[in-house]
Amino acid sequence: MSNIIKINNHDVLEKVYNSQRVVTFKDIDMVHERADGTARKRFNDNKKHFIEGADFFVLNQPSEIRTLGIERPQGGVPEKVTLVTESGYLMLVKSFTDDLAWQVQRQLVNSYFKVKDIFENMSPELKAVLVVDRRITKVEKRIEHLELDIPLYGSEADEICNHVKRKGVEMLGGKQSNAYKNNKIRSAVYTDIYNQIKREFGLYDDKGKFKSYKALQRRYILEAHELIDTYELPTYLEEQIKFCNAQMNIDVA
């Protein structure tokens, strides 16, 4: 069960990274009762004074972010998150000088960041259990990371294929259009969509030739679907489709 710590009557989800407790900009804004984005702005304004790996960490792997329980308000895992350590937090809130700020700083430092003291007072047996648990967690993270690096599963490849077909039909003007019924034009559209995916995600073999779209790493599934959604026809294909479909209108007239 996630550990919730009460700071200034706000619930802060415990987040441990690199064996130390960390907070997000959102956590800082919440407990200090500041407008959203305040902590991030203070950080960006003074970023040259912060040392990455000591005062903050930047995570851009969804699997790592998900294990910390961090989600967007509307759901889903953010693409990137900045985690602030105790030293980074104390530097960040130097400009928060109101009475509430001093009170909140004391609570966060004493009740949240002082996790080391808790660990040191544990029995050897409990420490051993925690060490094993951390090792298991690291192994699980590695497995999840490896799963994201492997090519698409069969069902995922089928989803990409079906998405390409739907987009192709849309670009061709529907299944009843002349362009769709023209095998050469229809094939050219589907090929161009697949090639766009391959170019975008570097699906080339050692000789520089395109691989199958099925070689796409699983971590890029969402980006691939987004690319298909936003696909636009190259000018030469767009003109071919317009000309071909216009022939239907001429014949009907």
Side-chain angles (χ1 to χ4, degrees), residues 57-83:
F57 301 95
V58 177
L59 300 189
N60 51 24
Q61 295 294 336
S63 58
E64 286 188 299
I65 297 172
R66 189 180 297 110
T67 58
L68 294 174
I70 300 174
E71 295 184 351
R72 293 191 179 100
Q74 65 272 27
V77 179
E79 295 179 358
K80 184 172 71 172
V81 66
T82 299
L83 303 176

Side-chain angles (χ1 to χ4, degrees), residues 31-169:
V31 298
H32 281 275
E33 299 181 356
R34 298 294 178 112
D36 288 345
T38 300
R40 182 181 295 277
K41 185 178 186 307
R42 298 289 171 86
F43 175 81
N44 289 335
D45 289 344
N46 300 281
K47 192 170 183 180
K48 63 181 180 180
H49 300 297
F50 292 82
I51 301 173
E52 186 169 0
D55 302 318
F56 72 98
F57 301 95
V58 177
L59 300 189
N60 51 24
Q61 295 294 336
S63 58
E64 286 188 299
I65 297 172
R66 189 180 297 110
T67 58
L68 294 174
I70 300 174
E71 295 184 351
R72 293 191 179 100
Q74 65 272 27
V77 179
E79 295 179 358
K80 184 172 71 172
V81 66
T82 299
L83 303 176
V84 182
T85 66
E86 181 179 4
S87 62
Y89 164 74
L90 291 174
M91 292 172 62
L92 186 63
V93 297
K94 277 184 176 181
S95 58
F96 294 2
T97 56
D98 55 282
D99 291 339
L100 176 62
W102 289 106
Q103 178 183 340
V104 172
Q105 284 182 51
R106 183 180 297 276
Q107 287 186 39
L108 263 175
V109 170
N110 293 335
S111 302
Y112 185 84
F113 285 116
K114 293 304 181 185
V115 67
K116 292 181 180 178
D117 295 339
I118 298 173
F119 184 80
E120 289 171 359
N121 292 328
M122 289 180 180
S123 67
E125 293 79 9
L126 186 53
K127 285 183 180 179
V129 171
L130 287 177
V131 169
V132 171
D133 182 65
R134 287 178 181 175
R135 288 175 180 171
I136 293 174
T137 301
K138 287 182 179 179
V139 170
E140 290 174 343
K141 287 182 179 179
R142 289 172 185 166
I143 292 173
E144 186 173 0
H145 182 78
L146 289 172
E147 286 181 347
L148 292 174
D149 286 340
I150 64 175
L152 299 175
Y153 293 147
S155 59
E156 293 166 341
D158 290 342
E159 289 175 5
I160 294 289
C161 179
N162 291 332
H163 197 169
V164 170
K165 288 179 180 178
R166 291 194 299 271
K167 190 65 178 181
V169 171

